[in-house]
Amino acid sequence: MEYTIKKLGQLAGVSTRTLRYYDEIGILKPARISSSGYRIYGQKEIDILQQILFYRELGFNLSDIREILSSPDFDKVKALKEHKKRLIEKRSQIDLLIKNVEKSIAYTEGRIKMSDKEKFEGFKQRLIEKNEEKYGEEIREKYGAEAVEKSYENFRNMSKEQYEEMQNIEQRFRETLLEAFKTGDPAGPLAQKAADLHKQWITYAWGDYNKEAHAGVAQLYVDVKRFTEYYDKDQPGLASFLKDAIFIYTGMQK
Amino acid sequence: MEYTIKKLGQLAGVSTRTLRYYDEIGILKPARISSSGYRIYGQKEIDILQQILFYRELGFNLSDIREILSSPDFDKVKALKEHKKRLIEKRSQIDLLIKNVEKSIAYTEGRIKMSDKEKFEGFKQRLIEKNEEKYGEEIREKYGAEAVEKSYENFRNMSKEQYEEMQNIEQRFRETLLEAFKTGDPAGPLAQKAADLHKQWITYAWGDYNKEAHAGVAQLYVDVKRFTEYYDKDQPGLASFLKDAIFIYTGMQK
DNA sequence: CTTGACATTGACGCTGCGTAAAGGTTTATT
DNA sequence: AATAAACCTTTACGCAGCGTCAATGTCAAG
């Protein structure tokens, strides 16, 4: 049985380029060349190709394969044993690489967390600074420098998770407050729930809680124009509604 | 601090070619180019090079490194994790290769043994044929066809190891016999040791042993010219000496 | 006779440099 | 100041094992 280059390639599962290359480097020459210059392979070439592919799969390079094919079994075993050694070395090399990559992952992840933490600290600092700029004077006047410092201190000590939880509470507080405003009843359950969320928020922000201060803040929202505007810009009358709800919640007024 | 290409190379342990190549593919460009066209590197470039080498050691290719260097830590971790995956895959690939190489070694070694065995069988066959050609008639006459066939049968069933052991014994027998001949005493300890080795050799060759046959062979050495010549060509009188020693050993004569 | 599937040789490309070659610059020595 | 030694530059081939054009020739089928 004779084969053209393509037939042989299909039979063995390699490209024609590969076969031409093998011819070129002399490890698999065709049985004969047809009158038109085509490469014609026979059974013997199939057998050789099988062997080439076999050793190739074992990871030998072609020049080694060339030598192996033309050597007695004895030397084949030698080559195989040496190859095995090389493979084992390669494997321990890779093991080492894996270990180092793992180390590197741990290190880089650690750095990310560190960096995130630093960024968060910076972020909190900037928040405090902005707050100072905007409200510093007013809140110090109302609550005294000591209380404000204490609040800041608490904020600075807050972890990222705590901060996120605080943001979360604030978000729910805003939603609940708007829902409650629609009912128009500052003593109703929704409004009281909003007041409770507000309490939690303050507790987070200040680090402690007392009813008087809470009611004081509520009064602030109404008294100080900038705070009033902050709440009323979404819903006119919201600041006053919140103050009523909180006064009821804290028992300062029914 | 500024560095020429060679200085940087020595600092980092890479060739100037490498640095030029890194410049060429754009992963490490010099800080500036001197008026004479020299590449000048600064501290920043050292840092980048360190990183390049770091990732290179982990087995990344340069185009991956290029991307990693210009990506945030977050993506670096992603790349590292993917790389680890690839490494693990590669390792199991190699494991597979090792297994197959081992199989192949076992197979090829098995074939060698088979082939050796066949060769050995052929070798023994040829030995028997040569023996037949040379001595067939004579030994059949002396010992009978049955005894000779039995001997051949035993020889055919001999393993390679057994055959080698037999050769070994023959060698020691020849050496001892020559030593004994120098003493001139066929009843002496050396001559008796030679006779004993000769007995062992016969036992190997025939598969069994009896004193009469042993003495018969000894007589043969003297009676049959060809055998006599075989021993006497090293030492004239050796065949006769051996006969005496064996007769004494077997108790046929004192 | 045309078409499509096949064949040929030749040559570039990929990776990550090593290794010249041919020439210019800097530094040290005479 | 001349010269040599040491350094720099760009250009380009080579390595392994093919993939992938490109340009061109051949064969079997309709």
Side-chain angles (χ1 to χ4, degrees), chain A residues 3-238:
Chain A
Y3 302 85
T4 61
I5 195 164
K6 180 148 206 206
K7 293 275 170 89
L8 179 58
Q10 285 173 337
L11 194 70
V14 299
S15 72
T16 60
R17 177 69 178 93
T18 299
L19 292 175
R20 271 190 269 270
Y21 182 64
Y22 288 174
D23 182 7
E24 187 187 330
I25 65 172
I27 61 174
L28 182 63
K29 297 223 167 266
R32 63 186 187 84
I33 305 288
S34 82
S35 61
S36 51
Y38 286 16
R39 290 173 177 80
I40 309 292
Y41 298 88
Q43 183 56 47
K44 192 176 144 204
E45 285 70 37
I46 293 183
D47 294 346
I48 297 176
L49 182 53
Q50 300 274 10
Q51 290 205 57
I52 292 173
L53 298 181
F54 171 70
Y55 286 107
R56 196 181 67 166
E57 259 179 56
L58 295 184
F60 283 90
N61 63 45
L62 296 183
S63 83
D64 282 350
I65 291 178
R66 188 210 316 277
E67 283 178 28
I68 289 174
L69 289 190
S70 64
S71 72
D73 280 0
F74 176 79
D75 285 351
K76 281 181 191 164
V77 170
K78 216 174 111 191
L80 283 166
K81 283 185 177 171
E82 265 171 37
H83 188 58
K84 182 181 162 190
K85 249 187 177 170
R86 285 203 303 268
L87 285 175
I88 287 174
E89 253 176 51
K90 212 166 163 184
R91 185 178 54 183
S92 37
Q93 267 260 10
I94 289 184
D95 278 339
L96 194 65
L97 284 187
I98 290 175
K99 263 192 199 164
N100 286 334
V101 168
E102 276 168 353
K103 263 191 209 166
S104 182
I105 289 173
Y107 173 72
T108 312
E109 273 183 340
R111 226 178 23 172
I112 288 177
K113 273 184 202 153
M114 290 291 290
S115 146
D116 274 3
K117 202 173 156 191
E118 274 169 26
K119 277 184 207 151
F120 179 62
E121 295 301 325
F123 167 71
K124 286 193 295 187
Q125 191 54 40
R126 281 195 300 282
L127 263 192
I128 290 173
E129 280 160 12
K130 248 167 68 187
N131 197 63
E132 262 301 297
E133 212 178 289
K134 256 188 169 170
Y135 313 117
E137 229 172 289
E138 287 164 32
I139 54 179
R140 270 171 217 281
E141 211 169 275
K142 278 273 175 187
Y143 304 104
E146 202 183 320
V148 171
E149 273 319 313
K150 194 175 148 197
S151 165
Y152 284 167
E153 186 56 30
N154 176 66
F155 188 64
R156 268 194 284 265
N157 286 334
M158 203 173 279
S159 79
K160 198 179 170 187
E161 287 69 32
Q162 286 174 319
Y163 179 73
E164 275 160 5
E165 177 60 10
M166 186 178 125
Q167 297 291 86
N168 196 356
I169 288 173
E170 194 196 355
Q171 177 65 19
R172 275 158 59 208
F173 158 66
R174 285 160 173 282
E175 286 164 11
T176 312
L177 180 61
L178 277 173
E179 286 298 308
F181 185 75
K182 286 182 201 159
T183 69
D185 179 13
L190 264 177
Q192 288 308 297
K193 193 186 169 196
D196 186 63
L197 283 167
H198 190 252
K199 167 196 159 182
Q200 288 182 42
W201 182 54
I202 277 179
T203 310
Y204 255 114
W206 293 352
D208 69 352
Y209 176 80
N210 65 73
K211 284 180 178 179
E212 292 67 33
H214 193 187
V217 170
Q219 188 62 53
L220 202 67
Y221 291 161
V222 174
D223 290 350
V224 179
K225 203 176 159 200
R226 221 164 0 179
F227 292 155
T228 312
E229 278 167 357
Y230 176 72
Y231 283 99
D232 280 11
K233 81 171 187 298
D234 286 341
Q235 276 290 333
L238 193 60

Side-chain angles (χ1 to χ4, degrees), chain B residues 179-196:
Chain B
E179 286 298 310
F181 185 75
K182 285 182 202 160
T183 70
D185 180 13
L190 265 177
Q192 289 308 299
K193 193 186 168 196
D196 186 63

Side-chain angles (χ1 to χ4, degrees), chain B residues 4 6 20 37 39:
Chain B
T4 61
K6 180 147 207 208
R20 272 190 270 269
R39 291 173 178 79

